[in-house]
Amino acid sequence: MEATASTRGSAVVRLPRTPRMVSVEYPGLVRDVGAVLRTLGGEEGVSRVRAFGRFRFPTSTMLLRVRRRTRRNKTQVDTEEPVQPEVRFEMEIVGIVTTVYKFQGMSDFQYLAMHSGPDGKQTSMYDKVLMLKPEKEEFFNRELPLYIPPPIFSRLDTPVDYFYRPDTQHRDGYNNPQVSGENLIGLSRARRPHNAIFLNFDEEEVPTKPLDAAVQTWKKVCTNAVDRKVEEELRKLFEIRPVWSRNAVKANVNIHPDKLKLLLPYLAYYMLTGPWRSLWVRFGYDPRKHPEAKIYQVLDFRIRCGMKYGYAPNDMPVKAKRSTYNYSLPITVKKPVSHTVSVHDLKQGLGTAGASSAKKSASSRYKLKESIYIFREGALPPYRQMFYQLCDLNVESLQKIIHRNDGTETECTERDGWCLPKTSDDLRDTMSVMIKQIIRSTRPALFSSTTSNEDGKEQLAYESGEDEDDEEEEEEDFKPSDGSENEMETEILDYV
């Protein structure tokens, strides 16, 4: 099929019966076809197209071979003007492309420890930086350039075009967060408008009423009788007990989590530091002035694991909240899973029994189980790290430790509150022994290799608290994950 440069218009072309072809958009500059084939696994690897299944995209295009032929004429002698060369295009349909393979992800990053000499020559520093065997002190005292790889290269797996935008225009009354010596970078975003009042342990006065913005926000949301009923229930809870954790509130009041974020700042303030950190305190109540408030102090408890405790992390009955193998990128969209309705469910919904069960489920739709904030003997915690209030430790031996100094409290400290020094350590040791007994009873095979004498020595070893530093290192892997039910890690992010 031929066409000249001056020809315009359209034509009907009959496609020849050519073999179906596959296109590969190679993610690089092709200079050597042989090298490209080797990176794709050779001709044999390219022929096995199933190996690139997740990069396959259907298409319907033609592969054309276009030739541009130019005939140049000699300049006429009498006119001495150049003659326009004759250009002709020849097009040939090579085949029809039915499948194209695209590699749209970003390539892997490689950080090279190279040193540039005075002559510009690059020298590898791997032998001098990377320690492959035990070395003497001289190896660490050598004068070498500092090579520290960046902590992260990219949070995204696909390239994104960044368009320079003007500064964000905030609403009237917005002030940029103050930058102090302790926080040189400052907040990454503006404080969320939930209007909560935060209090540190060293601040003298406690707030007696909520912010006007918190009152207006809750009044705007509280539009029906159900919300007013929940408000009255929570107000009664704070009258009975002036300090609550959010999990404890969620286990006693049926309210949507988003509305609870607006209701709590309307009735209480939030403690950031001290023995009541991560807890909500009723307005006007100062636990630092009431010794009886020690039962409301918080206890950060983590299930201990390690070979010296008799079981490895993988053998724990309480599994981790999140695994590094199931990590999702920040751009991942989590679609809700649709629940299949069976015929039995439909029949239940049509009868009176189904109506009563639906009503019952609606009354406790957002409630959590009591185990989320109460510790009982013989039961394992739902998570490896829990924040309990001392009054929610429903074990007699633990309550004896808490009330050892009743009537003799003289000072409220930021570490121990109204309790005796190291009360939290004694509580953790006792709870760890109870947890170990539960695991021993449910999985005796883990402890079959240890004798009773070794168990007694081991128990005394970590009950004494001498290995506290080692314990903290082993427990570092079991901090709560994003989205967990532990208030200290996640709750403050709702308001800051």
Side-chain angles (χ1 to χ4, degrees), residues 87-319:
V87 179
R88 177 177 299 178
F89 292 91
E90 298 179 359
M91 292 177 289
E92 178 185 358
I93 300 177
V94 179
I96 301 175
V97 180
T98 58
T99 305
V100 60
Y101 292 90
K102 302 178 181 181
F103 302 88
Q104 297 176 333
M106 298 180 65
S107 59
D108 295 334
F109 292 91
Q110 186 177 15
Y111 186 81
L112 303 177
M114 306 292 292
H115 180 68
S116 180
D119 55 351
K121 184 179 180 181
Q122 298 289 335
T123 305
S124 175
M125 305 294 292
Y126 276 106
D127 297 336
K128 300 180 180 180
V129 175
L130 190 62
M131 186 175 64
L132 301 177
K133 61 181 181 178
E135 300 286 352
K136 296 183 180 180
E137 185 178 0
E138 291 78 8
F139 178 85
F140 303 95
N141 294 332
R142 294 180 300 174
E143 293 292 336
L144 293 175
L146 184 61
Y147 291 98
I148 301 178
I152 186 172
F153 288 97
S154 177
R155 297 180 61 193
L156 306 178
D157 189 37
T158 55
V160 178
D161 292 331
Y162 180 79
F163 301 98
Y164 289 93
R165 303 177 179 88
D167 295 337
T168 304
Q169 300 296 328
H170 298 282
R171 295 181 179 179
D172 295 339
Y174 171 82
N175 296 322
N176 290 323
Q178 297 180 356
V179 180
S180 61
E182 299 177 355
N183 184 14
L184 296 178
I185 299 178
L187 297 177
S188 59
R189 54 174 168 78
R191 185 181 295 272
R192 296 185 179 179
H194 293 310
N195 306 303
I197 299 178
F198 300 95
L199 189 73
N200 292 308
F201 181 81
D202 54 358
E203 296 184 32
E204 297 182 359
E205 298 296 332
V206 299
T208 58
K209 62 178 182 178
L211 298 176
D212 294 337
V215 177
Q216 296 174 2
T217 303
W218 174 247
K219 294 301 182 183
K220 185 184 301 183
V221 175
C222 182
T223 57
N224 52 57
V226 177
D227 294 335
R228 290 189 289 270
K229 181 181 177 181
V230 171
E231 176 189 342
E232 188 63 25
E233 291 178 359
L234 186 56
R235 194 182 298 274
K236 290 180 180 179
L237 289 179
F238 274 107
E239 292 176 359
I240 299 173
R241 173 170 154 180
V243 184
W244 287 84
S245 66
R246 185 169 68 165
N247 276 349
V249 172
K250 293 168 71 174
N252 288 272
V253 178
N254 182 40
I255 183 175
H256 192 281
D258 292 338
K259 287 192 175 181
L260 182 61
K261 296 177 184 179
L262 305 177
L263 179 57
L264 281 173
Y266 177 64
L267 300 176
Y269 64 92
Y270 189 85
M271 291 288 291
L272 289 174
T273 58
W276 296 277
R277 62 191 178 277
S278 75
L279 301 179
W280 291 91
V281 186
R282 185 183 66 206
F283 283 118
Y285 184 80
D286 190 352
R288 299 167 298 180
K289 298 180 180 179
H290 301 276
E292 62 274 11
K294 70 179 179 181
I295 63 175
Y296 307 128
Q297 294 177 194
V298 69
L299 175 68
D300 181 1
F301 176 71
R302 308 179 189 184
I303 299 179
R304 297 169 178 174
C305 70
M307 297 311 297
K308 67 176 181 178
Y309 301 121
Y311 47 89
N314 294 333
D315 299 325
M316 292 182 61
V318 182
K319 296 303 180 182

Side-chain angles (χ1 to χ4, degrees), residues 199-443:
L199 189 73
N200 292 308
F201 181 81
D202 54 358
E203 296 184 32
E204 297 182 359
E205 298 296 332
V206 299
T208 58
K209 62 178 182 178
L211 298 176
D212 294 337
V215 177
Q216 296 174 2
T217 303
W218 174 247
K219 294 301 182 183
K220 185 184 301 183
V221 175
C222 182
T223 57
N224 52 57
V226 177
D227 294 335
R228 290 189 289 270
K229 181 181 177 181
V230 171
E231 176 189 342
E232 188 63 25
E233 291 178 359
L234 186 56
R235 194 182 298 274
K236 290 180 180 179
L237 289 179
F238 274 107
E239 292 176 359
I240 299 173
R241 173 170 154 180
V243 184
W244 287 84
S245 66
R246 185 169 68 165
N247 276 349
V249 172
K250 293 168 71 174
N252 288 272
V253 178
N254 182 40
I255 183 175
H256 192 281
D258 292 338
K259 287 192 175 181
L260 182 61
K261 296 177 184 179
L262 305 177
L263 179 57
L264 281 173
Y266 177 64
L267 300 176
Y269 64 92
Y270 189 85
M271 291 288 291
L272 289 174
T273 58
W276 296 277
R277 62 191 178 277
S278 75
L279 301 179
W280 291 91
V281 186
R282 185 183 66 206
F283 283 118
Y285 184 80
D286 190 352
R288 299 167 298 180
K289 298 180 180 179
H290 301 276
E292 62 274 11
K294 70 179 179 181
I295 63 175
Y296 307 128
Q297 294 177 194
V298 69
L299 175 68
D300 181 1
F301 176 71
R302 308 179 189 184
I303 299 179
R304 297 169 178 174
C305 70
M307 297 311 297
K308 67 176 181 178
Y309 301 121
Y311 47 89
N314 294 333
D315 299 325
M316 292 182 61
V318 182
K319 296 303 180 182
K321 183 76 175 181
R322 179 185 66 184
S323 173
T324 54
Y325 299 104
N326 298 328
Y327 176 74
S328 59
L329 292 171
I331 60 173
T332 303
V333 179
K334 297 181 180 179
K335 298 182 179 179
V337 181
S338 60
H339 299 281
T340 305
V341 180
S342 62
V343 177
H344 176 73
D345 296 333
L346 294 176
K347 292 181 179 180
Q348 292 291 333
L350 295 176
T352 57
S356 61
S357 62
K359 183 177 180 181
K360 181 179 179 181
S361 62
S363 62
S364 59
R365 180 179 180 182
Y366 302 110
K367 275 190 176 182
L368 301 179
K369 297 181 179 180
E370 286 189 346
S371 60
I372 201 67
Y373 76 102
I374 295 180
F375 179 83
R376 290 188 173 91
E377 190 172 4
L380 288 173
Y383 305 112
R384 293 184 177 181
Q385 183 183 20
M386 297 293 298
F387 292 93
Y388 293 110
Q389 289 183 258
L390 300 187
C391 60
D392 295 326
L393 303 177
N394 290 358
V395 181
E396 184 178 356
S397 59
L398 299 178
Q399 291 299 322
K400 288 182 179 179
I401 298 175
I402 298 171
H403 294 281
R404 287 181 298 185
N405 64 332
D406 281 359
T408 60
E409 301 93 341
T410 58
E411 183 184 4
C412 180
T413 62
E414 184 173 359
R415 175 180 173 83
D416 300 300
W418 292 106
C419 296
L420 291 176
K422 295 188 177 182
T423 297
S424 298
D425 297 336
D426 296 338
L427 292 173
R428 294 189 187 102
D429 293 339
T430 306
M431 295 169 67
S432 297
V433 174
M434 298 171 62
I435 296 296
K436 184 177 180 180
Q437 292 174 353
I438 298 173
I439 299 177
R440 183 193 298 271
S441 61
T442 56
R443 306 181 68 175

